[in-house]
């Protein structure tokens, strides 16, 4: 969040704007008790009581020579904008005379004119109080650490006077704005979030001894200043670790970076932790959110697919063309159809086909119409791997022919040992066409 910093000290009115660029003025400088940070320019400059424009102490500048006030030096390196607000009044001033505002970016070695404040025939008049604000922006000024400001009178008589009072210099400093996202969604950083899969703060089911990771984004795209990340701390540093980032690090304004949290649980059960990102955002310097995971004992997980589509493995499936469990029609005794099926192990530990070779059993009403080919099949399938087998349908009779495929395995969850599914095909008439060829020699 952006804060405002007061560079010079006074406000006629103390106010705060509740936004990213909110301005606050915590102190005052009205020349009632002295010159403050302003330096007397010489013989034609005085601090006078009961003077215009507010009938109290103000600065009087007469004539031109030695009629000025100069500020102290400011470090504006990190500022986006600077405003100088002041009251003034003319006395005895001729047209096109008054005072000028200058700035210096070399600690007063040279000065650049910013604006003229003159009495004119149709504008400013003698004896009238005015309030002006001069605004400087980093878009047009190169702020540095040796900035100064100067008011200088421009007239040619001692009776031509400029009175200045209530000078206020305020600035808006560049500030970072942290946001942390998981899966592209913002995560509340006040430790109030409920872990969810939508923002990757809920890791879901994980397995003991097998790492599972989520990537989070530290975002500073809403910031106008660099964001400094000093550390990332986990309340459960036994089961969780942080990687993918070198700390401390800086995230530039308008940019982002990522880091990875990995859980490698040492035991089963719910694993909760907080993630604390220590940074220099003014109001979110400790960005804290909750994460959780459910650690399970590693298990294999069988899934048999045809044409890439999963087949229900509890014996209740209806044979379909889309998963190759329906072989369609083919001629009795003169044709056959072969389909390839894939056994996937989507679990983390080894899947074993328990029966001896050929590992797969064909049963049901018409097993004689089915030929099994296990060439190249693996009896042990590691986590995340797969193996294949072929089934050929060669009908021995007309009509619908059905069979079951049963695969005994060590997946003990979900009633998938054995993994059973139905297949079918249709035996059709074979059609022969007699061709008579008459050859004459």
């Amino acid at each position: 969040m952006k804060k405002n910093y007061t560079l010079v000290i006074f406000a006629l009115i103390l106010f705060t704007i509740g936004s990213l660029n909110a301005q606050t003025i915590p102190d005052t400088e009205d020349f009632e008790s002295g010159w403050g940070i302003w330096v007397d320019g010489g013989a034609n400059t005085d601090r006078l009581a009961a003077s215009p424009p507010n009938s109290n102490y103000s600065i009087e500048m007469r004539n031109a020579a030695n009629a000025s006030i100069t500020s102290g030096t400011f470090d504006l390196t990190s500022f986006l904008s600077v405003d100088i607000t002041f009251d003034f009044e003319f006395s005895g001033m001729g047209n096109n005379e008054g005072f000028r505002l200058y700035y210096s970016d070399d600690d007063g070695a040279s000065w650049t004119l910013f604006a003229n404040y003159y009495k004119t025939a149709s504008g400013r008049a003698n004896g009238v109080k005015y309030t002006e604000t001069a605004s400087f922006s980093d878009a047009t000024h190169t702020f540095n650490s040796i900035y100064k400001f100067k008011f200088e009178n421009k007239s040619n008589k001692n009776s031509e006077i400029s009175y200045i009072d209530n000078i206020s210099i305020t600035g808006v400093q560049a500030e970072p704005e942290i946001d942390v996202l998981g899966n592209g969604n913002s995560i509340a950083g006040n430790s109030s979030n409920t872990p969810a899969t939508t923002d990757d703060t809920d890791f879901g089911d994980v397995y003991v001894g097998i790492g599972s990771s989520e990537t989070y984004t530290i975002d500073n795209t809403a910031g106008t200043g660099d964001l400094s990340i000093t550390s990332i701390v986990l309340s459960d540093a036994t089961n969780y670790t942080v990687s993918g980032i070198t700390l401390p690090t800086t995230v530039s304004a308008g940019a982002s970076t990522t880091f990875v949290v990995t859980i490698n649980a040492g035991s089963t059960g719910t694993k909760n932790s907080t993630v604390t990102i220590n940074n220099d955002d003014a109001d979110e310097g400790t960005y804290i959110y909750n994460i959780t995971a459910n650690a399970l004992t590693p298990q294999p997980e069988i899934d048999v697919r045809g044409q890439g589509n999963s087949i229900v493995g509890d014996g209740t499936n209806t044979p379909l063309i889309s998963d190759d469990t329906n072989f369609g029609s083919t001629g009795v005794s003169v044709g056959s159809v072969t389909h390839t099926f894939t056994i996937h192990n989507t679990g983390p530990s080894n899947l074993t086909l328990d029966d001896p070779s050929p590992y797969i059993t064909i049963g049901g009403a018409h097993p004689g119409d089915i030929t099994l080919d296990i060439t190249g099949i693996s009896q042990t399938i590691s986590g995340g791997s797969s193996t294949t087998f072929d089934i050929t349908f060669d009908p021995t009779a007309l009509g619908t022919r059905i069979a079951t495929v049963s695969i005994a395995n060590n997946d003990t969850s979900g009633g998938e040992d054995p993994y059973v599914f139905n297949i079918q095909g249709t035996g059709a008439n074979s059609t022969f066409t007699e061709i008579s060829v008459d050859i004459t020699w």
Side-chain angles (χ1 to χ4, degrees), residues 51-373:
S51 299
N54 298 304
S55 300
N56 52 17
Y57 275 97
S58 68
I59 303 302
E60 178 191 79
M61 299 186 299
R62 306 176 304 277
N63 213 317
N66 302 314
S68 66
I69 54 173
T70 303
S71 74
T73 302
F74 300 115
D75 182 356
L76 304 184
T77 306
S78 62
F79 280 78
L80 302 174
S81 64
V82 174
D83 287 342
I84 305 179
T85 301
F86 51 93
D87 299 337
F88 68 92
E89 186 174 319
F90 297 127
S91 176
M93 198 70 73
N95 289 336
N96 298 318
E97 293 180 320
F99 64 92
R100 294 172 171 176
L101 173 60
Y102 294 88
Y103 67 91
S104 171
D105 58 9
D106 55 11
D107 208 26
S110 62
W111 294 94
T112 301
L113 176 65
F114 180 76
N116 295 312
Y117 299 90
Y118 290 166
K119 174 190 174 295
T120 60
S122 59
R124 301 185 184 100
N126 289 311
V128 178
K129 173 185 173 180
Y130 299 96
T131 299
E132 294 281 353
T133 297
S135 296
F136 297 76
S137 168
D138 67 347
T140 54
H141 293 79
T142 304
F143 293 141
N144 60 25
S145 61
I146 49 174
Y147 237 74
K148 284 187 173 182
F149 302 97
K150 180 172 68 171
F151 292 91
E152 184 175 83
N153 206 47
K154 181 184 180 297
S155 67
N156 52 28
K157 298 177 183 178
N158 285 338
S159 60
E160 295 173 335
I161 302 170
S162 298
Y163 295 96
I164 297 180
D165 195 10
N166 297 337
I167 303 174
S168 170
I169 303 180
T170 60
V172 177
Q173 193 169 18
E175 291 291 335
E177 179 60 36
I178 189 173
D179 189 20
V180 178
L181 302 93
N183 195 31
N185 297 310
S186 182
I187 305 168
N190 58 359
S191 71
S192 65
N193 73 297
T194 299
T197 56
T198 53
D199 59 12
D200 286 342
T201 52
D202 186 345
F203 285 60
D205 290 341
V206 300
Y207 297 96
V208 173
I210 300 174
S212 179
S213 300
E214 299 292 357
T215 299
Y216 300 102
T217 299
I218 300 174
D219 185 273
N220 189 29
T221 57
T224 57
D226 291 347
L227 175 68
S228 176
I229 308 296
T230 54
S231 63
I232 300 176
V233 180
L234 302 167
S235 62
D236 179 0
T238 300
N239 294 295
Y240 291 92
T241 56
V242 172
S243 62
I245 190 170
T246 301
L247 298 170
T249 191
T250 298
V251 185
S252 300
S256 63
T257 191
T258 60
F259 68 98
V260 177
V261 175
T262 299
I263 181 170
N264 197 331
S267 61
T268 60
T270 301
K271 307 299 179 184
N272 297 321
S273 181
T274 58
V275 181
T276 300
I277 303 173
N278 294 303
N279 66 92
D280 64 347
D281 184 320
D283 64 349
E284 295 175 298
T286 50
Y287 199 104
I288 305 173
Y289 63 94
N290 304 304
I291 58 175
T292 192
N294 180 36
L296 305 172
T297 300
Q299 296 283 346
E301 181 61 39
I302 188 173
D303 184 30
V304 180
R305 303 173 192 174
Q307 294 195 69
N309 297 310
S310 185
I311 304 168
V312 175
D314 61 0
T316 64
N317 72 297
T318 299
L320 302 171
I321 296 295
S322 60
D323 62 11
D324 270 353
T325 53
N326 190 330
F327 286 71
S329 298
T330 190
V332 174
S333 300
V334 295
S336 63
V337 179
T338 300
H339 288 171
T340 298
F341 297 89
T342 303
I343 303 172
H344 289 267
N345 178 14
T346 61
S349 60
N350 289 345
L351 174 69
T352 302
L353 307 184
D354 290 339
D355 283 348
S357 181
Y359 317 124
I360 299 168
T361 301
I362 305 298
H366 308 112
D369 291 5
I370 301 300
T371 301
L372 177 67
D373 182 358

